[in-house]
Amino acid sequence: DAKTTQPPSMDCAEGRAANLPCNHSTISGNEYVYWYRQIHSQGPQYIIHGLKNNETNEMASLIITEDRKSSTLILPHATLRDTAVYYCIVRVANSGYALNFGKGTSLLVTP
Amino acid sequence: GAGVSQTPSNKVTEKGKYVELRCDPISGHTALYWYRQSLGQGPEFLIYFQGTGAADDSGLPNDRFFAVRPEGSVSTLKIQRTERGDSAVYLCASSQGKDEQFFGPGTRLTVL
């Protein structure tokens, strides 16, 4: 699976949009971009994934650049409960294989 | 419905002892994964089961680690002759086929 690069930490004010970047310049054509998050002392939680089109669900939006070398996870109205470590992972979809988490971005949402 | 459960939530053992960690996946999920997470790091893959068989055990660090899933549901991770470096949170995840993985809360293992 392709390697990803994320900033180690970010801050965001409550109620504002949180934009978390991820670089994956070596992504292959059949690899998807996945995002998971891990709230303190809990297991990771799936957020969203996409191939090349932008995706949105009840939790977040995923914006993937046209060349697919980077992406941004957007939490439109961050709350204190969104404080967590966010992991950007690229992998072949439907591969049944493990997730390669890396170190992620620690997002702190402040009042 | 019920999520992935793991027992015990915490386990303290002495160096050299044997431990078993249990994972109950979501009912009907055919795939089951074990990960290990050290302090300040992301989870690292250990082993993946598809049904009863280990489809990929390339993440097991050495032959002291072994996992089973005899009936294709509950899985047990077994660690022999524990070492202090085995201290970590052990996470289990399950999925239906090859879809998103659902994680349990983990077992925190401390080897004294």
Side-chain angles (χ1 to χ4, degrees), chain B residues 82-110:
Chain B
T82 52
E83 300 177 356
R84 293 193 179 88
D86 299 335
S87 296
V89 175
Y90 289 81
L91 293 161
C92 176
S94 70
S95 68
Q96 178 52 47
K98 299 165 182 176
D99 294 337
E100 66 180 273
Q101 296 181 24
F102 293 85
F103 283 79
T107 292
R108 180 175 299 278
L109 175 66
T110 302

mmCIF file of all heavy atoms in Angstrom, chain B residues 82-110:
data_model
loop_
_atom_site.group_PDB
_atom_site.id
_atom_site.type_symbol
_atom_site.label_atom_id
_atom_site.label_comp_id
_atom_site.label_asym_id
_atom_site.label_seq_id
_atom_site.Cartn_x
_atom_site.Cartn_y
_atom_site.Cartn_z
ATOM 1 N N THR B 82 5.766 -14.162 27.624
ATOM 2 C CA THR B 82 5.631 -12.722 27.403
ATOM 3 C C THR B 82 6.893 -11.966 27.803
ATOM 4 O O THR B 82 7.597 -12.332 28.749
ATOM 5 C CB THR B 82 4.436 -12.155 28.176
ATOM 6 O OG1 THR B 82 4.527 -12.562 29.553
ATOM 7 C CG2 THR B 82 3.127 -12.616 27.593
ATOM 8 N N GLU B 83 7.132 -10.878 27.067
ATOM 9 C CA GLU B 83 8.252 -9.989 27.321
ATOM 10 C C GLU B 83 7.715 -8.583 27.564
ATOM 11 O O GLU B 83 6.600 -8.256 27.161
ATOM 12 C CB GLU B 83 9.196 -9.985 26.112
ATOM 13 C CG GLU B 83 9.771 -11.342 25.782
ATOM 14 C CD GLU B 83 10.650 -11.328 24.545
ATOM 15 O OE1 GLU B 83 10.750 -10.269 23.885
ATOM 16 O OE2 GLU B 83 11.233 -12.394 24.233
ATOM 17 N N ARG B 84 8.527 -7.741 28.224
ATOM 18 C CA ARG B 84 8.074 -6.387 28.528
ATOM 19 C C ARG B 84 7.717 -5.622 27.263
ATOM 20 O O ARG B 84 6.798 -4.800 27.243
ATOM 21 C CB ARG B 84 9.116 -5.656 29.356
ATOM 22 C CG ARG B 84 9.283 -6.247 30.736
ATOM 23 C CD ARG B 84 10.074 -5.364 31.683
ATOM 24 N NE ARG B 84 10.161 -5.990 32.994
ATOM 25 C CZ ARG B 84 11.109 -6.847 33.359
ATOM 26 N NH1 ARG B 84 12.078 -7.153 32.515
ATOM 27 N NH2 ARG B 84 11.103 -7.393 34.561
ATOM 28 N N GLY B 85 8.387 -5.908 26.182
ATOM 29 C CA GLY B 85 8.117 -5.252 24.908
ATOM 30 C C GLY B 85 6.788 -5.629 24.287
ATOM 31 O O GLY B 85 6.368 -4.989 23.309
ATOM 32 N N ASP B 86 6.122 -6.645 24.838
ATOM 33 C CA ASP B 86 4.801 -7.020 24.338
ATOM 34 C C ASP B 86 3.713 -6.116 24.904
ATOM 35 O O ASP B 86 2.561 -6.185 24.459
ATOM 36 C CB ASP B 86 4.476 -8.468 24.716
ATOM 37 C CG ASP B 86 5.448 -9.470 24.121
ATOM 38 O OD1 ASP B 86 6.060 -9.161 23.075
ATOM 39 O OD2 ASP B 86 5.604 -10.570 24.699
ATOM 40 N N SER B 87 4.056 -5.291 25.867
ATOM 41 C CA SER B 87 3.077 -4.380 26.469
ATOM 42 C C SER B 87 2.549 -3.428 25.411
ATOM 43 O O SER B 87 3.314 -2.742 24.724
ATOM 44 C CB SER B 87 3.708 -3.579 27.606
ATOM 45 O OG SER B 87 4.097 -4.431 28.665
ATOM 46 N N ALA B 88 1.228 -3.401 25.263
ATOM 47 C CA ALA B 88 0.576 -2.599 24.227
ATOM 48 C C ALA B 88 -0.927 -2.773 24.375
ATOM 49 O O ALA B 88 -1.393 -3.563 25.196
ATOM 50 C CB ALA B 88 1.011 -3.042 22.831
ATOM 51 N N VAL B 89 -1.672 -2.038 23.543
ATOM 52 C CA VAL B 89 -3.104 -2.292 23.416
ATOM 53 C C VAL B 89 -3.307 -3.186 22.203
ATOM 54 O O VAL B 89 -2.824 -2.879 21.115
ATOM 55 C CB VAL B 89 -3.897 -0.984 23.243
ATOM 56 C CG1 VAL B 89 -5.374 -1.287 22.985
ATOM 57 C CG2 VAL B 89 -3.746 -0.101 24.484
ATOM 58 N N TYR B 90 -3.995 -4.285 22.402
ATOM 59 C CA TYR B 90 -4.268 -5.229 21.325
ATOM 60 C C TYR B 90 -5.702 -5.010 20.855
ATOM 61 O O TYR B 90 -6.652 -5.147 21.629
ATOM 62 C CB TYR B 90 -4.033 -6.660 21.795
ATOM 63 C CG TYR B 90 -2.553 -6.937 21.975
ATOM 64 C CD1 TYR B 90 -1.893 -6.527 23.140
ATOM 65 C CD2 TYR B 90 -1.808 -7.549 20.968
ATOM 66 C CE1 TYR B 90 -0.528 -6.728 23.282
ATOM 67 C CE2 TYR B 90 -0.455 -7.756 21.111
ATOM 68 C CZ TYR B 90 0.187 -7.343 22.268
ATOM 69 O OH TYR B 90 1.542 -7.532 22.410
ATOM 70 N N LEU B 91 -5.830 -4.657 19.585
ATOM 71 C CA LEU B 91 -7.122 -4.318 19.001
ATOM 72 C C LEU B 91 -7.588 -5.410 18.061
ATOM 73 O O LEU B 91 -6.795 -5.999 17.328
ATOM 74 C CB LEU B 91 -7.013 -3.012 18.204
ATOM 75 C CG LEU B 91 -6.735 -1.747 19.014
ATOM 76 C CD1 LEU B 91 -6.189 -0.652 18.112
ATOM 77 C CD2 LEU B 91 -7.993 -1.266 19.706
ATOM 78 N N CYS B 92 -8.876 -5.657 18.081
ATOM 79 C CA CYS B 92 -9.497 -6.602 17.172
ATOM 80 C C CYS B 92 -10.508 -5.854 16.320
ATOM 81 O O CYS B 92 -11.170 -4.916 16.794
ATOM 82 C CB CYS B 92 -10.193 -7.704 17.968
ATOM 83 S SG CYS B 92 -11.113 -8.885 16.975
ATOM 84 N N ALA B 93 -10.633 -6.228 15.060
ATOM 85 C CA ALA B 93 -11.613 -5.636 14.160
ATOM 86 C C ALA B 93 -12.274 -6.737 13.353
ATOM 87 O O ALA B 93 -11.668 -7.784 13.103
ATOM 88 C CB ALA B 93 -10.960 -4.614 13.232
ATOM 89 N N SER B 94 -13.511 -6.494 12.943
ATOM 90 C CA SER B 94 -14.179 -7.441 12.057
ATOM 91 C C SER B 94 -14.836 -6.687 10.916
ATOM 92 O O SER B 94 -15.077 -5.474 11.008
ATOM 93 C CB SER B 94 -15.202 -8.295 12.812
ATOM 94 O OG SER B 94 -16.338 -7.528 13.209
ATOM 95 N N SER B 95 -15.077 -7.399 9.836
ATOM 96 C CA SER B 95 -15.754 -6.783 8.693
ATOM 97 C C SER B 95 -16.571 -7.840 7.964
ATOM 98 O O SER B 95 -16.307 -9.044 8.067
ATOM 99 C CB SER B 95 -14.745 -6.133 7.744
ATOM 100 O OG SER B 95 -13.948 -7.103 7.098
ATOM 101 N N GLN B 96 -17.570 -7.366 7.245
ATOM 102 C CA GLN B 96 -18.376 -8.244 6.419
ATOM 103 C C GLN B 96 -17.717 -8.306 5.049
ATOM 104 O O GLN B 96 -17.766 -7.339 4.295
ATOM 105 C CB GLN B 96 -19.806 -7.736 6.311
ATOM 106 C CG GLN B 96 -20.690 -8.598 5.426
ATOM 107 C CD GLN B 96 -20.648 -10.063 5.810
ATOM 108 O OE1 GLN B 96 -20.755 -10.407 6.983
ATOM 109 N NE2 GLN B 96 -20.471 -10.928 4.844
ATOM 110 N N GLY B 97 -17.109 -9.405 4.764
ATOM 111 C CA GLY B 97 -16.372 -9.484 3.513
ATOM 112 C C GLY B 97 -15.199 -8.542 3.548
ATOM 113 O O GLY B 97 -14.371 -8.594 4.449
ATOM 114 N N LYS B 98 -15.146 -7.625 2.596
ATOM 115 C CA LYS B 98 -13.992 -6.746 2.471
ATOM 116 C C LYS B 98 -14.380 -5.287 2.685
ATOM 117 O O LYS B 98 -13.717 -4.384 2.217
ATOM 118 C CB LYS B 98 -13.362 -6.952 1.107
ATOM 119 C CG LYS B 98 -12.879 -8.389 0.913
ATOM 120 C CD LYS B 98 -12.580 -8.722 -0.526
ATOM 121 C CE LYS B 98 -12.149 -10.168 -0.640
ATOM 122 N NZ LYS B 98 -11.929 -10.557 -2.046
ATOM 123 N N ASP B 99 -15.464 -5.060 3.423
ATOM 124 C CA ASP B 99 -15.921 -3.704 3.680
ATOM 125 C C ASP B 99 -15.192 -3.094 4.873
ATOM 126 O O ASP B 99 -14.224 -3.637 5.377
ATOM 127 C CB ASP B 99 -17.435 -3.704 3.924
ATOM 128 C CG ASP B 99 -18.210 -4.109 2.683
ATOM 129 O OD1 ASP B 99 -17.669 -3.961 1.577
ATOM 130 O OD2 ASP B 99 -19.349 -4.578 2.833
ATOM 131 N N GLU B 100 -15.681 -1.935 5.322
ATOM 132 C CA GLU B 100 -15.038 -1.227 6.421
ATOM 133 C C GLU B 100 -14.875 -2.119 7.644
ATOM 134 O O GLU B 100 -15.693 -3.009 7.898
ATOM 135 C CB GLU B 100 -15.852 0.011 6.800
ATOM 136 C CG GLU B 100 -17.206 -0.320 7.380
ATOM 137 C CD GLU B 100 -18.002 0.913 7.741
ATOM 138 O OE1 GLU B 100 -17.836 1.408 8.869
ATOM 139 O OE2 GLU B 100 -18.794 1.361 6.904
ATOM 140 N N GLN B 101 -13.809 -1.851 8.380
ATOM 141 C CA GLN B 101 -13.517 -2.631 9.571
ATOM 142 C C GLN B 101 -14.105 -1.937 10.794
ATOM 143 O O GLN B 101 -13.988 -0.723 10.953
ATOM 144 C CB GLN B 101 -11.998 -2.788 9.715
ATOM 145 C CG GLN B 101 -11.398 -3.594 8.566
ATOM 146 C CD GLN B 101 -9.902 -3.782 8.694
ATOM 147 O OE1 GLN B 101 -9.339 -3.718 9.794
ATOM 148 N NE2 GLN B 101 -9.248 -4.027 7.576
ATOM 149 N N PHE B 102 -14.706 -2.752 11.667
ATOM 150 C CA PHE B 102 -15.272 -2.259 12.918
ATOM 151 C C PHE B 102 -14.367 -2.750 14.048
ATOM 152 O O PHE B 102 -14.127 -3.951 14.175
ATOM 153 C CB PHE B 102 -16.697 -2.795 13.113
ATOM 154 C CG PHE B 102 -17.674 -2.248 12.112
ATOM 155 C CD1 PHE B 102 -17.810 -2.858 10.869
ATOM 156 C CD2 PHE B 102 -18.458 -1.151 12.402
ATOM 157 C CE1 PHE B 102 -18.703 -2.367 9.928
ATOM 158 C CE2 PHE B 102 -19.369 -0.658 11.470
ATOM 159 C CZ PHE B 102 -19.486 -1.259 10.236
ATOM 160 N N PHE B 103 -13.926 -1.812 14.862
ATOM 161 C CA PHE B 103 -12.948 -2.136 15.893
ATOM 162 C C PHE B 103 -13.593 -2.291 17.266
ATOM 163 O O PHE B 103 -14.567 -1.603 17.600
ATOM 164 C CB PHE B 103 -11.887 -1.036 15.979
ATOM 165 C CG PHE B 103 -10.870 -1.094 14.880
ATOM 166 C CD1 PHE B 103 -11.159 -0.599 13.619
ATOM 167 C CD2 PHE B 103 -9.628 -1.670 15.100
ATOM 168 C CE1 PHE B 103 -10.235 -0.673 12.591
ATOM 169 C CE2 PHE B 103 -8.687 -1.737 14.089
ATOM 170 C CZ PHE B 103 -8.983 -1.244 12.836
ATOM 171 N N GLY B 104 -12.992 -3.165 18.056
ATOM 172 C CA GLY B 104 -13.345 -3.281 19.457
ATOM 173 C C GLY B 104 -12.583 -2.256 20.287
ATOM 174 O O GLY B 104 -11.748 -1.511 19.752
ATOM 175 N N PRO B 105 -12.826 -2.224 21.593
ATOM 176 C CA PRO B 105 -12.187 -1.234 22.459
ATOM 177 C C PRO B 105 -10.744 -1.573 22.809
ATOM 178 O O PRO B 105 -10.018 -0.725 23.329
ATOM 179 C CB PRO B 105 -13.059 -1.251 23.718
ATOM 180 C CG PRO B 105 -13.627 -2.626 23.741
ATOM 181 C CD PRO B 105 -13.833 -3.025 22.325
ATOM 182 N N GLY B 106 -10.340 -2.808 22.529
ATOM 183 C CA GLY B 106 -8.964 -3.198 22.796
ATOM 184 C C GLY B 106 -8.766 -3.834 24.160
ATOM 185 O O GLY B 106 -9.586 -3.683 25.075
ATOM 186 N N THR B 107 -7.665 -4.571 24.273
ATOM 187 C CA THR B 107 -7.188 -5.111 25.547
ATOM 188 C C THR B 107 -5.837 -4.482 25.823
ATOM 189 O O THR B 107 -4.925 -4.583 24.994
ATOM 190 C CB THR B 107 -7.033 -6.639 25.497
ATOM 191 O OG1 THR B 107 -8.319 -7.256 25.375
ATOM 192 C CG2 THR B 107 -6.350 -7.143 26.766
ATOM 193 N N ARG B 108 -5.726 -3.847 26.987
ATOM 194 C CA ARG B 108 -4.446 -3.251 27.368
ATOM 195 C C ARG B 108 -3.631 -4.306 28.108
ATOM 196 O O ARG B 108 -4.030 -4.750 29.198
ATOM 197 C CB ARG B 108 -4.635 -2.029 28.242
ATOM 198 C CG ARG B 108 -3.322 -1.360 28.661
ATOM 199 C CD ARG B 108 -3.567 -0.068 29.426
ATOM 200 N NE ARG B 108 -4.290 0.905 28.607
ATOM 201 C CZ ARG B 108 -3.711 1.685 27.719
ATOM 202 N NH1 ARG B 108 -2.409 1.645 27.522
ATOM 203 N NH2 ARG B 108 -4.446 2.557 27.027
ATOM 204 N N LEU B 109 -2.529 -4.729 27.515
ATOM 205 C CA LEU B 109 -1.650 -5.741 28.119
ATOM 206 C C LEU B 109 -0.435 -5.051 28.708
ATOM 207 O O LEU B 109 0.247 -4.285 28.020
ATOM 208 C CB LEU B 109 -1.211 -6.769 27.073
ATOM 209 C CG LEU B 109 -0.202 -7.809 27.550
ATOM 210 C CD1 LEU B 109 -0.832 -8.720 28.606
ATOM 211 C CD2 LEU B 109 0.340 -8.633 26.383
ATOM 212 N N THR B 110 -0.178 -5.349 29.972
ATOM 213 C CA THR B 110 1.015 -4.837 30.652
ATOM 214 C C THR B 110 1.829 -6.025 31.142
ATOM 215 O O THR B 110 1.312 -6.869 31.880
ATOM 216 C CB THR B 110 0.641 -3.952 31.846
ATOM 217 O OG1 THR B 110 -0.177 -2.867 31.390
ATOM 218 C CG2 THR B 110 1.890 -3.395 32.515
#
